[in-house]
Amino acid sequence: MKLALFSTKPYDKKFFDAAREARQQTNIEVTYHEASLNDDTVALAEGADAVCVFVNDSVGSTVIDQLASHGIKAILLRCAGFNNVDLAAAEKHGIAVANVPSYSPEAVAEFAVALMQTLNRNTHRAYNRVREGNFALDGLLGRTLHGKTVGIVGTGKIGIATARIMKGFGCRVIAYDPFPSPAFKEIGEYKTLDELLPECDIISLHCPLTESTRHIANEENLSKMKDGAMLVNTSRGGLIDTTSVIKALKNKRLGGLALDVYEGEGSLFYSDHSGEIIDDDVLMRLTTFHNVLVCGHQAFFTVEALTEIADCTFRNIEEIVRDGTCRNLLTKRLELNSSPSLPVRNV
Ligand code: NAD
């Protein structure tokens, strides 16, 4: 079994090599490609049986047509979100698609909370100031989170983990999800999105990117948020209409924005562009606000998560080879995806 792994970074190789070594006598051979998968690089998959991709690989129908012509039998996502893969095209060619649905929801939830805390208490600014010998507190004033209302949009694995942490901070936690979960009902109360928006001091997005959630943070919904509230997105960049969010920051309606993901991240994130002129004016505008924090899609990035991602990817391949299917198969959710009005559970 030959696996071509795209968008490889040194840490991917380290964790995949370790997971492969731990599975003694595995017959899975891994070829590492630094290039991301797209129409221009798909030829690199020739000779492989399966490809392994990450969040910014483009696995649309034209790439899938070419993967099929190279005899690819499976697409293994080493992440939970699968908005970058055309599942219907894969199904058409009989290519199995599987993801790693739950490598460490806590890793992402903890990072979401780290962003909230950093932005709220201005520790990012304090860090720079102190290094320059500036110990003044002006501009560092925060709010006590205890007693504040936090809104969770999407109460899946990560949303629930975030809700639990915020409950531990003494916050009142409310949520919106078209598929309510009994686990959340033990933590807080469900609301409609319209009810939730004006009540929250902090809103954290944890729903998948689908046609029904794209730009869920748009001008209309932003205008319904409480004055000065904070918006946090560790899910997918496309959930936020960045132009509207910039407007809301400029007119001071939005009090803070913490992003781990950005809708135009594909051409920038996961690489060093420090010696280049970055021509994304929208992202550059975002970075000029003192109350905006942008990170490069790193919420998943813990030792525990990378270990489980590599392990689970191997388990997925082994199951597909052995049984022709696997418990994390995504193509079986096509019926759900086919209804644009129905939000898809990203499980
Ligand atoms: P999950 O499938 O367990 O939960 C998603 C939840 O969103 C479900 O409860 C679903 O019912 C809900 N949902 C669907 N449509 C909705 C809508 N219109 N409004 C509100 N809720 C809706 O997924 P998860 O494991 O909790 O992951 C959530 C997202 O986090 C993933 O889709 C992925 O894009 C993102 N993610 C980001 C990172 C990172 O490093 N930043 C890492 C892992 C996952």
Side-chain angles (χ1 to χ4, degrees):
M1 167 53 126
K2 291 189 171 134
L3 176 68
L5 196 133
F6 284 83
S7 300
T8 309
K9 297 291 177 197
Y11 46 82
D12 293 312
K13 186 169 182 318
K14 180 177 159 192
F15 282 90
F16 270 79
D17 279 349
R20 189 176 173 279
E21 216 170 294
R23 318 180 98 69
Q24 290 148 3
Q25 298 174 341
T26 182
N27 63 352
I28 301 167
E29 242 177 72
V30 187
T31 306
Y32 296 101
H33 299 290
E34 279 180 31
S36 58
L37 179 61
N38 56 46
D39 285 302
D40 299 330
T41 61
V42 64
L44 291 169
E46 203 170 347
D49 302 295
V51 293
C52 179
V53 298
F54 194 47
V55 293
N56 290 323
D57 290 292
S58 307
V59 202
S61 62
T62 55
V63 167
I64 289 176
D65 288 347
Q66 293 181 72
L67 288 175
S69 73
H70 293 316
I72 294 297
K73 311 276 185 315
I75 298 168
L76 287 317
L77 284 140
R78 53 180 192 280
C79 54
F82 49 87
N83 50 285
N84 53 335
V85 180
D86 187 333
L87 294 181
E91 172 94 320
K92 190 182 88 189
H93 288 291
I95 297 177
V97 184
N99 68 342
V100 181
S102 180
Y103 41 85
S104 176
E106 290 77 17
V108 182
E110 287 168 14
F111 194 80
V113 176
L115 290 179
M116 285 173 206
Q117 280 286 64
T118 305
L119 197 54
N120 177 38
R121 302 302 295 270
N122 290 297
T123 44
H124 55 311
R125 303 181 78 194
Y127 174 82
N128 287 328
R129 279 188 189 187
V130 167
R131 287 166 72 91
E132 295 200 352
N134 177 358
F135 300 95
L137 296 185
D138 316 69
L140 302 184
L141 193 65
R143 296 279 190 94
T144 304
L145 287 182
H146 189 273
K148 296 292 183 299
T149 299
V150 175
I152 304 286
V153 178
T155 50
K157 294 173 287 297
I158 298 170
I160 297 248
T162 308
R164 285 202 178 107
I165 300 173
M166 298 321 293
K167 178 94 177 161
F169 272 58
C171 294
R172 170 182 172 244
V173 187
I174 58 177
Y176 165 67
D177 192 317
F179 300 94
S181 137
F184 180 76
K185 288 181 185 157
E186 288 170 19
I187 304 168
E189 199 188 334
Y190 277 109
K191 301 267 178 184
T192 64
L193 189 58
D194 274 352
E195 287 166 348
L196 176 142
L197 293 169
E199 284 195 39
C200 297
D201 300 286
I202 299 175
I203 294 182
S204 195
L205 303 178
H206 298 288
C207 54
L209 178 61
T210 67
E211 281 322 302
S212 66
T213 60
R214 185 174 298 281
H215 286 186
I216 194 167
N218 54 22
E219 195 159 349
E220 189 189 342
N221 282 337
L222 286 162
S223 73
K224 293 177 186 162
M225 283 173 65
K226 187 173 184 172
D227 253 355
M230 181 197 295
L231 179 64
V232 181
N233 186 11
T234 55
S235 191
R236 283 293 180 267
L239 296 180
I240 288 185
D241 172 7
T242 318
T243 314
S244 300
V245 133
I246 288 174
K247 249 194 233 168
L249 286 160
K250 279 170 77 176
N251 66 27
K252 303 191 184 75
R253 286 264 303 119
L254 191 61
L257 175 71
L259 301 181
D260 185 46
V261 288
Y262 164 63
E263 52 183 343
E265 70 178 55
S267 58
L268 288 169
F269 283 16
Y270 298 122
S271 307
D272 182 358
H273 297 277
S274 55
E276 300 166 19
I277 303 292
I278 294 175
D279 66 1
D280 184 332
D281 293 346
V282 175
L283 179 64
M284 290 300 98
R285 179 66 179 104
L286 273 183
T287 60
T288 65
F289 293 100
H290 73 82
N291 54 350
V292 172
L293 200 57
V294 182
C295 290
H297 206 146
Q298 66 170 92
F300 72 99
F301 201 55
T302 66
V303 169
E304 292 76 7
L306 291 188
T307 303
E308 175 55 17
I309 285 171
D311 247 31
C312 180
T313 303
F314 280 112
R315 289 199 300 274
N316 285 346
I317 304 171
E318 285 163 359
E319 280 179 34
I320 289 171
V321 169
R322 193 183 57 234
D323 310 329
T325 183
C326 88
R327 76 195 71 178
N328 297 323
L329 199 72
L330 291 167
T331 25
K332 68 186 174 208
R333 296 195 186 91
L334 282 172
E335 330 77 78
L336 282 176
N337 269 320
S338 63
S339 166
S341 58
L342 189 66
V344 178
R345 282 193 79 88
N346 184 12
V347 290

